Amino acid sequence: MNSNQFELKLLELHWLKNTNEQKDLCCHGTVFVRIGDEIICDKDKIIEVTVSSTALHLMRTLKENYQKGDYGNQLLPCCGHFIVADEEDFVIICGCPIGIDWTIIHTDDGKVKHISEKGSEAIIDKEIYKTLVFDFADQVESFYQNSLPKIIPEDDFEKNGYLAFWNEWRNLCQEFSN
C-alpha cells in the first residue's frame, strides 16, 4: 500500500459535440486519477466522463464512505442520461454501465482510504482530500459559469432533476465551507 498516493486532476472540460451547449446540462471531460501506483483513469483509459456527476459524487464522499454503486452510477461515469430528483437536495444520475468505480473509506485517524477495483490502495489526509475534491468541483462550476446560460428544460422531470442537482451541490459546498 502506498500512502498519500491519491491523485485527482481535471484534464479537460467540454460540452457534448454536435449539441446545443445551452441544452447540455452535464459537463464532460477527461480526468486523471491515480490510486497508489495504479492509474485508474487518464486520457487514454476512458473516452470521457461526465465530470459534473463526478464532482457531485466526490463531494458526497467527503462525509461518507462509498462502495461501488452507492449512488446509482460510478464515481467516474461515462454518461448521465438523466437526473432523478430523489429528494429536493439529493439526486440520482443515471447513465450507462461504462465507467470507473472504487471504494472510499474514512478511517478513525482523519484519513481517507481509496481502494481500486484491482485492489490498489492509497491513504490521504482528509483535509488534503477535501482540497482536491473542491478544487475539482470549483473548476467544473467555473466552467458552467463561464459558458452560455443553460436552457432549463420545460419538462418537470428534467427540470426538477437539474435544479435538485444544483441544490445538492450548493448544500454540500456550504456544509464544507464552515
Side-chain angles (χ1 to χ4, degrees):
M1 173 174 57
N2 295 303
S3 295
N4 300 320
Q5 288 195 2
F6 175 79
E7 285 186 77
L8 170 69
K9 295 178 190 168
L10 192 48
L11 301 176
E12 184 261 338
L13 290 165
H14 64 268
W15 304 110
L16 285 179
K17 295 164 185 64
N18 303 320
T19 302
N20 180 336
E21 171 183 323
Q22 290 182 281
K23 291 184 177 182
D24 189 356
L25 302 180
C26 296
C27 177
H28 309 271
T30 53
V31 177
F32 176 86
V33 177
R34 180 170 59 93
I35 297 175
D37 292 329
E38 181 185 352
I39 295 172
I40 65 166
C41 186
D42 66 11
K43 62 183 175 27
D44 299 321
K45 292 261 183 182
I46 190 169
I47 26 177
E48 65 180 34
V49 298
T50 305
V51 294
S52 48
S53 299
T54 296
L56 182 68
H57 291 161
L58 291 174
M59 285 192 288
R60 289 174 179 169
T61 70
L62 293 172
K63 65 180 182 179
E64 60 193 19
N65 293 339
Y66 174 83
Q67 296 290 322
K68 182 178 179 175
D70 278 353
Y71 303 143
N73 210 349
Q74 308 87 0
L75 288 172
L76 298 176
C78 169
C79 53
H81 293 301
F82 53 92
I83 305 169
V84 180
D86 192 39
E87 299 171 19
E88 186 174 303
D89 62 351
F90 184 84
V91 296
I92 298 170
I93 302 162
C94 301
C96 72
I98 299 170
I100 297 173
D101 239 340
W102 67 93
T103 299
I104 299 173
I105 301 169
H106 293 262
T107 63
D108 293 335
D109 60 351
K111 308 276 187 210
V112 181
K113 184 178 190 177
H114 298 264
I115 307 167
S116 77
E117 290 184 317
K118 292 182 179 177
S120 296
E121 296 184 7
I123 297 175
I124 186 169
D125 181 79
K126 185 173 183 171
E127 288 302 312
I128 294 170
Y129 179 58
K130 178 181 163 184
T131 299
L132 286 173
V133 169
F134 276 108
D135 285 350
F136 186 96
D138 288 347
Q139 289 176 66
V140 171
E141 187 169 8
S142 179
F143 187 72
Y144 273 90
Q145 291 171 346
N146 292 318
S147 297
L148 294 171
K150 294 294 161 201
I151 297 172
I152 305 299
E154 291 181 22
D155 174 79
D156 284 342
F157 177 81
E158 290 182 54
K159 178 172 77 175
N160 292 340
Y162 183 72
L163 296 175
F165 173 91
W166 286 108
N167 282 340
E168 183 177 1
W169 185 289
R170 284 188 290 278
N171 289 341
L172 287 167
C173 288
Q174 184 176 13
E175 180 178 341
F176 288 102
S177 67
N178 300 329

mmCIF file with all atom_site columns, all heavy atoms in Angstrom, residues 43-62:
data_model
loop_
_atom_site.group_PDB
_atom_site.id
_atom_site.type_symbol
_atom_site.label_atom_id
_atom_site.label_alt_id
_atom_site.label_comp_id
_atom_site.label_asym_id
_atom_site.label_entity_id
_atom_site.label_seq_id
_atom_site.pdbx_PDB_ins_code
_atom_site.Cartn_x
_atom_site.Cartn_y
_atom_site.Cartn_z
_atom_site.occupancy
_atom_site.B_iso_or_equiv
_atom_site.pdbx_formal_charge
_atom_site.auth_seq_id
_atom_site.auth_comp_id
_atom_site.auth_asym_id
_atom_site.auth_atom_id
_atom_site.pdbx_PDB_model_num
ATOM 1   N N   . LYS A 1 43 ? -6.337  10.228 -19.935 1.00 0.00 ? 43 LYS A N   1
ATOM 2   C CA  . LYS A 1 43 ? -6.893  10.496 -21.266 1.00 0.00 ? 43 LYS A CA  1
ATOM 3   C C   . LYS A 1 43 ? -6.913  9.264  -22.167 1.00 0.00 ? 43 LYS A C   1
ATOM 4   O O   . LYS A 1 43 ? -7.658  9.222  -23.129 1.00 0.00 ? 43 LYS A O   1
ATOM 5   C CB  . LYS A 1 43 ? -6.165  11.656 -21.939 1.00 0.00 ? 43 LYS A CB  1
ATOM 6   C CG  . LYS A 1 43 ? -4.697  11.422 -22.188 1.00 0.00 ? 43 LYS A CG  1
ATOM 7   C CD  . LYS A 1 43 ? -4.072  12.659 -22.785 1.00 0.00 ? 43 LYS A CD  1
ATOM 8   C CE  . LYS A 1 43 ? -2.620  12.646 -22.992 1.00 0.00 ? 43 LYS A CE  1
ATOM 9   N NZ  . LYS A 1 43 ? -1.879  11.494 -23.207 1.00 0.00 ? 43 LYS A NZ  1
ATOM 10  N N   . ASP A 1 44 ? -6.149  8.227  -21.821 1.00 0.00 ? 44 ASP A N   1
ATOM 11  C CA  . ASP A 1 44 ? -6.118  7.015  -22.637 1.00 0.00 ? 44 ASP A CA  1
ATOM 12  C C   . ASP A 1 44 ? -6.945  5.861  -22.060 1.00 0.00 ? 44 ASP A C   1
ATOM 13  O O   . ASP A 1 44 ? -7.169  4.874  -22.735 1.00 0.00 ? 44 ASP A O   1
ATOM 14  C CB  . ASP A 1 44 ? -4.676  6.535  -22.822 1.00 0.00 ? 44 ASP A CB  1
ATOM 15  C CG  . ASP A 1 44 ? -3.820  7.578  -23.540 1.00 0.00 ? 44 ASP A CG  1
ATOM 16  O OD1 . ASP A 1 44 ? -4.345  8.220  -24.472 1.00 0.00 ? 44 ASP A OD1 1
ATOM 17  O OD2 . ASP A 1 44 ? -2.653  7.747  -23.163 1.00 0.00 ? 44 ASP A OD2 1
ATOM 18  N N   . LYS A 1 45 ? -7.400  5.966  -20.808 1.00 0.00 ? 45 LYS A N   1
ATOM 19  C CA  . LYS A 1 45 ? -8.082  4.851  -20.139 1.00 0.00 ? 45 LYS A CA  1
ATOM 20  C C   . LYS A 1 45 ? -9.594  4.826  -20.355 1.00 0.00 ? 45 LYS A C   1
ATOM 21  O O   . LYS A 1 45 ? -10.217 3.797  -20.189 1.00 0.00 ? 45 LYS A O   1
ATOM 22  C CB  . LYS A 1 45 ? -7.819  4.899  -18.634 1.00 0.00 ? 45 LYS A CB  1
ATOM 23  C CG  . LYS A 1 45 ? -6.401  4.615  -18.256 1.00 0.00 ? 45 LYS A CG  1
ATOM 24  C CD  . LYS A 1 45 ? -6.246  3.211  -17.823 1.00 0.00 ? 45 LYS A CD  1
ATOM 25  C CE  . LYS A 1 45 ? -4.799  3.000  -17.387 1.00 0.00 ? 45 LYS A CE  1
ATOM 26  N NZ  . LYS A 1 45 ? -4.533  1.685  -16.991 1.00 0.00 ? 45 LYS A NZ  1
ATOM 27  N N   . ILE A 1 46 ? -10.183 5.946  -20.649 1.00 0.00 ? 46 ILE A N   1
ATOM 28  C CA  . ILE A 1 46 ? -11.623 6.011  -20.878 1.00 0.00 ? 46 ILE A CA  1
ATOM 29  C C   . ILE A 1 46 ? -11.866 7.213  -21.787 1.00 0.00 ? 46 ILE A C   1
ATOM 30  O O   . ILE A 1 46 ? -11.149 8.207  -21.715 1.00 0.00 ? 46 ILE A O   1
ATOM 31  C CB  . ILE A 1 46 ? -12.411 6.124  -19.557 1.00 0.00 ? 46 ILE A CB  1
ATOM 32  C CG1 . ILE A 1 46 ? -13.914 5.942  -19.792 1.00 0.00 ? 46 ILE A CG1 1
ATOM 33  C CG2 . ILE A 1 46 ? -12.152 7.426  -18.849 1.00 0.00 ? 46 ILE A CG2 1
ATOM 34  C CD1 . ILE A 1 46 ? -14.718 5.771  -18.512 1.00 0.00 ? 46 ILE A CD1 1
ATOM 35  N N   . ILE A 1 47 ? -12.828 7.138  -22.673 1.00 0.00 ? 47 ILE A N   1
ATOM 36  C CA  . ILE A 1 47 ? -13.010 8.215  -23.644 1.00 0.00 ? 47 ILE A CA  1
ATOM 37  C C   . ILE A 1 47 ? -13.269 9.561  -22.969 1.00 0.00 ? 47 ILE A C   1
ATOM 38  O O   . ILE A 1 47 ? -12.602 10.515 -23.232 1.00 0.00 ? 47 ILE A O   1
ATOM 39  C CB  . ILE A 1 47 ? -14.105 7.889  -24.683 1.00 0.00 ? 47 ILE A CB  1
ATOM 40  C CG1 . ILE A 1 47 ? -15.134 6.915  -24.128 1.00 0.00 ? 47 ILE A CG1 1
ATOM 41  C CG2 . ILE A 1 47 ? -13.529 7.403  -25.959 1.00 0.00 ? 47 ILE A CG2 1
ATOM 42  C CD1 . ILE A 1 47 ? -16.279 6.602  -25.053 1.00 0.00 ? 47 ILE A CD1 1
ATOM 43  N N   . GLU A 1 48 ? -14.240 9.613  -22.127 1.00 0.00 ? 48 GLU A N   1
ATOM 44  C CA  . GLU A 1 48 ? -14.527 10.821 -21.361 1.00 0.00 ? 48 GLU A CA  1
ATOM 45  C C   . GLU A 1 48 ? -15.476 10.440 -20.243 1.00 0.00 ? 48 GLU A C   1
ATOM 46  O O   . GLU A 1 48 ? -16.040 9.354  -20.231 1.00 0.00 ? 48 GLU A O   1
ATOM 47  C CB  . GLU A 1 48 ? -15.136 11.919 -22.225 1.00 0.00 ? 48 GLU A CB  1
ATOM 48  C CG  . GLU A 1 48 ? -16.491 11.585 -22.770 1.00 0.00 ? 48 GLU A CG  1
ATOM 49  C CD  . GLU A 1 48 ? -17.072 12.707 -23.623 1.00 0.00 ? 48 GLU A CD  1
ATOM 50  O OE1 . GLU A 1 48 ? -16.319 13.408 -24.316 1.00 0.00 ? 48 GLU A OE1 1
ATOM 51  O OE2 . GLU A 1 48 ? -18.283 12.875 -23.573 1.00 0.00 ? 48 GLU A OE2 1
ATOM 52  N N   . VAL A 1 49 ? -15.627 11.337 -19.296 1.00 0.00 ? 49 VAL A N   1
ATOM 53  C CA  . VAL A 1 49 ? -16.554 11.102 -18.201 1.00 0.00 ? 49 VAL A CA  1
ATOM 54  C C   . VAL A 1 49 ? -17.449 12.317 -18.033 1.00 0.00 ? 49 VAL A C   1
ATOM 55  O O   . VAL A 1 49 ? -17.150 13.409 -18.512 1.00 0.00 ? 49 VAL A O   1
ATOM 56  C CB  . VAL A 1 49 ? -15.827 10.782 -16.871 1.00 0.00 ? 49 VAL A CB  1
ATOM 57  C CG1 . VAL A 1 49 ? -15.003 9.520  -16.992 1.00 0.00 ? 49 VAL A CG1 1
ATOM 58  C CG2 . VAL A 1 49 ? -14.978 11.937 -16.406 1.00 0.00 ? 49 VAL A CG2 1
ATOM 59  N N   . THR A 1 50 ? -18.552 12.114 -17.341 1.00 0.00 ? 50 THR A N   1
ATOM 60  C CA  . THR A 1 50 ? -19.434 13.215 -17.001 1.00 0.00 ? 50 THR A CA  1
ATOM 61  C C   . THR A 1 50 ? -18.890 13.816 -15.710 1.00 0.00 ? 50 THR A C   1
ATOM 62  O O   . THR A 1 50 ? -19.174 13.338 -14.615 1.00 0.00 ? 50 THR A O   1
ATOM 63  C CB  . THR A 1 50 ? -20.884 12.720 -16.839 1.00 0.00 ? 50 THR A CB  1
ATOM 64  O OG1 . THR A 1 50 ? -21.259 12.047 -18.037 1.00 0.00 ? 50 THR A OG1 1
ATOM 65  C CG2 . THR A 1 50 ? -21.837 13.863 -16.586 1.00 0.00 ? 50 THR A CG2 1
ATOM 66  N N   . VAL A 1 51 ? -18.072 14.849 -15.858 1.00 0.00 ? 51 VAL A N   1
ATOM 67  C CA  . VAL A 1 51 ? -17.342 15.403 -14.720 1.00 0.00 ? 51 VAL A CA  1
ATOM 68  C C   . VAL A 1 51 ? -18.244 16.130 -13.732 1.00 0.00 ? 51 VAL A C   1
ATOM 69  O O   . VAL A 1 51 ? -17.906 16.217 -12.550 1.00 0.00 ? 51 VAL A O   1
ATOM 70  C CB  . VAL A 1 51 ? -16.161 16.286 -15.165 1.00 0.00 ? 51 VAL A CB  1
ATOM 71  C CG1 . VAL A 1 51 ? -15.104 15.463 -15.864 1.00 0.00 ? 51 VAL A CG1 1
ATOM 72  C CG2 . VAL A 1 51 ? -16.605 17.433 -16.031 1.00 0.00 ? 51 VAL A CG2 1
ATOM 73  N N   . SER A 1 52 ? -19.372 16.640 -14.180 1.00 0.00 ? 52 SER A N   1
ATOM 74  C CA  . SER A 1 52 ? -20.287 17.275 -13.225 1.00 0.00 ? 52 SER A CA  1
ATOM 75  C C   . SER A 1 52 ? -20.811 16.220 -12.242 1.00 0.00 ? 52 SER A C   1
ATOM 76  O O   . SER A 1 52 ? -20.892 16.472 -11.032 1.00 0.00 ? 52 SER A O   1
ATOM 77  C CB  . SER A 1 52 ? -21.427 17.994 -13.945 1.00 0.00 ? 52 SER A CB  1
ATOM 78  O OG  . SER A 1 52 ? -22.026 17.188 -14.928 1.00 0.00 ? 52 SER A OG  1
ATOM 79  N N   . SER A 1 53 ? -21.134 15.026 -12.731 1.00 0.00 ? 53 SER A N   1
ATOM 80  C CA  . SER A 1 53 ? -21.558 13.931 -11.855 1.00 0.00 ? 53 SER A CA  1
ATOM 81  C C   . SER A 1 53 ? -20.418 13.510 -10.945 1.00 0.00 ? 53 SER A C   1
ATOM 82  O O   . SER A 1 53 ? -20.614 13.282 -9.746  1.00 0.00 ? 53 SER A O   1
ATOM 83  C CB  . SER A 1 53 ? -22.009 12.723 -12.676 1.00 0.00 ? 53 SER A CB  1
ATOM 84  O OG  . SER A 1 53 ? -23.100 13.039 -13.481 1.00 0.00 ? 53 SER A OG  1
ATOM 85  N N   . THR A 1 54 ? -19.226 13.396 -11.517 1.00 0.00 ? 54 THR A N   1
ATOM 86  C CA  . THR A 1 54 ? -18.052 13.007 -10.729 1.00 0.00 ? 54 THR A CA  1
ATOM 87  C C   . THR A 1 54 ? -17.837 13.968 -9.573  1.00 0.00 ? 54 THR A C   1
ATOM 88  O O   . THR A 1 54 ? -17.628 13.549 -8.436  1.00 0.00 ? 54 THR A O   1
ATOM 89  C CB  . THR A 1 54 ? -16.796 12.954 -11.621 1.00 0.00 ? 54 THR A CB  1
ATOM 90  O OG1 . THR A 1 54 ? -16.968 11.929 -12.599 1.00 0.00 ? 54 THR A OG1 1
ATOM 91  C CG2 . THR A 1 54 ? -15.550 12.677 -10.808 1.00 0.00 ? 54 THR A CG2 1
ATOM 92  N N   . ALA A 1 55 ? -17.898 15.262 -9.853  1.00 0.00 ? 55 ALA A N   1
ATOM 93  C CA  . ALA A 1 55 ? -17.672 16.256 -8.801  1.00 0.00 ? 55 ALA A CA  1
ATOM 94  C C   . ALA A 1 55 ? -18.702 16.116 -7.684  1.00 0.00 ? 55 ALA A C   1
ATOM 95  O O   . ALA A 1 55 ? -18.354 16.126 -6.493  1.00 0.00 ? 55 ALA A O   1
ATOM 96  C CB  . ALA A 1 55 ? -17.709 17.661 -9.399  1.00 0.00 ? 55 ALA A CB  1
ATOM 97  N N   . LEU A 1 56 ? -19.967 15.979 -8.049  1.00 0.00 ? 56 LEU A N   1
ATOM 98  C CA  . LEU A 1 56 ? -21.014 15.835 -7.037  1.00 0.00 ? 56 LEU A CA  1
ATOM 99  C C   . LEU A 1 56 ? -20.797 14.569 -6.216  1.00 0.00 ? 56 LEU A C   1
ATOM 100 O O   . LEU A 1 56 ? -20.854 14.598 -4.974  1.00 0.00 ? 56 LEU A O   1
ATOM 101 C CB  . LEU A 1 56 ? -22.398 15.806 -7.695  1.00 0.00 ? 56 LEU A CB  1
ATOM 102 C CG  . LEU A 1 56 ? -23.568 15.694 -6.724  1.00 0.00 ? 56 LEU A CG  1
ATOM 103 C CD1 . LEU A 1 56 ? -23.715 16.963 -5.898  1.00 0.00 ? 56 LEU A CD1 1
ATOM 104 C CD2 . LEU A 1 56 ? -24.855 15.395 -7.472  1.00 0.00 ? 56 LEU A CD2 1
ATOM 105 N N   . HIS A 1 57 ? -20.518 13.450 -6.890  1.00 0.00 ? 57 HIS A N   1
ATOM 106 C CA  . HIS A 1 57 ? -20.293 12.196 -6.173  1.00 0.00 ? 57 HIS A CA  1
ATOM 107 C C   . HIS A 1 57 ? -19.102 12.308 -5.221  1.00 0.00 ? 57 HIS A C   1
ATOM 108 O O   . HIS A 1 57 ? -19.169 11.840 -4.078  1.00 0.00 ? 57 HIS A O   1
ATOM 109 C CB  . HIS A 1 57 ? -20.067 11.051 -7.153  1.00 0.00 ? 57 HIS A CB  1
ATOM 110 C CG  . HIS A 1 57 ? -21.290 10.690 -7.932  1.00 0.00 ? 57 HIS A CG  1
ATOM 111 N ND1 . HIS A 1 57 ? -21.228 9.967  -9.105  1.00 0.00 ? 57 HIS A ND1 1
ATOM 112 C CD2 . HIS A 1 57 ? -22.604 10.923 -7.735  1.00 0.00 ? 57 HIS A CD2 1
ATOM 113 C CE1 . HIS A 1 57 ? -22.445 9.777  -9.571  1.00 0.00 ? 57 HIS A CE1 1
ATOM 114 N NE2 . HIS A 1 57 ? -23.298 10.356 -8.761  1.00 0.00 ? 57 HIS A NE2 1
ATOM 115 N N   . LEU A 1 58 ? -18.024 12.922 -5.679  1.00 0.00 ? 58 LEU A N   1
ATOM 116 C CA  . LEU A 1 58 ? -16.852 13.046 -4.813  1.00 0.00 ? 58 LEU A CA  1
ATOM 117 C C   . LEU A 1 58 ? -17.119 13.966 -3.633  1.00 0.00 ? 58 LEU A C   1
ATOM 118 O O   . LEU A 1 58 ? -16.629 13.716 -2.520  1.00 0.00 ? 58 LEU A O   1
ATOM 119 C CB  . LEU A 1 58 ? -15.644 13.520 -5.618  1.00 0.00 ? 58 LEU A CB  1
ATOM 120 C CG  . LEU A 1 58 ? -15.091 12.499 -6.616  1.00 0.00 ? 58 LEU A CG  1
ATOM 121 C CD1 . LEU A 1 58 ? -13.989 13.121 -7.463  1.00 0.00 ? 58 LEU A CD1 1
ATOM 122 C CD2 . LEU A 1 58 ? -14.589 11.247 -5.909  1.00 0.00 ? 58 LEU A CD2 1
ATOM 123 N N   . MET A 1 59 ? -17.916 15.027 -3.837  1.00 0.00 ? 59 MET A N   1
ATOM 124 C CA  . MET A 1 59 ? -18.261 15.885 -2.700  1.00 0.00 ? 59 MET A CA  1
ATOM 125 C C   . MET A 1 59 ? -19.041 15.091 -1.657  1.00 0.00 ? 59 MET A C   1
ATOM 126 O O   . MET A 1 59 ? -18.849 15.285 -0.453  1.00 0.00 ? 59 MET A O   1
ATOM 127 C CB  . MET A 1 59 ? -19.054 17.109 -3.159  1.00 0.00 ? 59 MET A CB  1
ATOM 128 C CG  . MET A 1 59 ? -18.188 18.152 -3.854  1.00 0.00 ? 59 MET A CG  1
ATOM 129 S SD  . MET A 1 59 ? -19.018 19.747 -4.088  1.00 0.00 ? 59 MET A SD  1
ATOM 130 C CE  . MET A 1 59 ? -20.210 19.361 -5.366  1.00 0.00 ? 59 MET A CE  1
ATOM 131 N N   . ARG A 1 60 ? -19.896 14.185 -2.094  1.00 0.00 ? 60 ARG A N   1
ATOM 132 C CA  . ARG A 1 60 ? -20.632 13.335 -1.144  1.00 0.00 ? 60 ARG A CA  1
ATOM 133 C C   . ARG A 1 60 ? -19.680 12.481 -0.312  1.00 0.00 ? 60 ARG A C   1
ATOM 134 O O   . ARG A 1 60 ? -19.932 12.212 0.859   1.00 0.00 ? 60 ARG A O   1
ATOM 135 C CB  . ARG A 1 60 ? -21.590 12.412 -1.886  1.00 0.00 ? 60 ARG A CB  1
ATOM 136 C CG  . ARG A 1 60 ? -22.776 13.094 -2.509  1.00 0.00 ? 60 ARG A CG  1
ATOM 137 C CD  . ARG A 1 60 ? -23.566 12.106 -3.330  1.00 0.00 ? 60 ARG A CD  1
ATOM 138 N NE  . ARG A 1 60 ? -24.747 12.685 -3.939  1.00 0.00 ? 60 ARG A NE  1
ATOM 139 C CZ  . ARG A 1 60 ? -25.475 12.074 -4.855  1.00 0.00 ? 60 ARG A CZ  1
ATOM 140 N NH1 . ARG A 1 60 ? -25.164 10.855 -5.262  1.00 0.00 ? 60 ARG A NH1 1
ATOM 141 N NH2 . ARG A 1 60 ? -26.528 12.676 -5.371  1.00 0.00 ? 60 ARG A NH2 1
ATOM 142 N N   . THR A 1 61 ? -18.583 12.024 -0.941  1.00 0.00 ? 61 THR A N   1
ATOM 143 C CA  . THR A 1 61 ? -17.654 11.135 -0.229  1.00 0.00 ? 61 THR A CA  1
ATOM 144 C C   . THR A 1 61 ? -16.835 11.875 0.822   1.00 0.00 ? 61 THR A C   1
ATOM 145 O O   . THR A 1 61 ? -16.091 11.237 1.558   1.00 0.00 ? 61 THR A O   1
ATOM 146 C CB  . THR A 1 61 ? -16.687 10.408 -1.192  1.00 0.00 ? 61 THR A CB  1
ATOM 147 O OG1 . THR A 1 61 ? -15.757 11.343 -1.749  1.00 0.00 ? 61 THR A OG1 1
ATOM 148 C CG2 . THR A 1 61 ? -17.448 9.660  -2.278  1.00 0.00 ? 61 THR A CG2 1
ATOM 149 N N   . LEU A 1 62 ? -16.981 13.179 0.919   1.00 0.00 ? 62 LEU A N   1
ATOM 150 C CA  . LEU A 1 62 ? -16.285 13.905 1.973   1.00 0.00 ? 62 LEU A CA  1
ATOM 151 C C   . LEU A 1 62 ? -16.908 13.645 3.343   1.00 0.00 ? 62 LEU A C   1
ATOM 152 O O   . LEU A 1 62 ? -16.261 13.849 4.360   1.00 0.00 ? 62 LEU A O   1
ATOM 153 C CB  . LEU A 1 62 ? -16.289 15.408 1.681   1.00 0.00 ? 62 LEU A CB  1
ATOM 154 C CG  . LEU A 1 62 ? -15.471 15.826 0.464   1.00 0.00 ? 62 LEU A CG  1
ATOM 155 C CD1 . LEU A 1 62 ? -15.697 17.297 0.149   1.00 0.00 ? 62 LEU A CD1 1
ATOM 156 C CD2 . LEU A 1 62 ? -13.988 15.536 0.680   1.00 0.00 ? 62 LEU A CD2 1
#
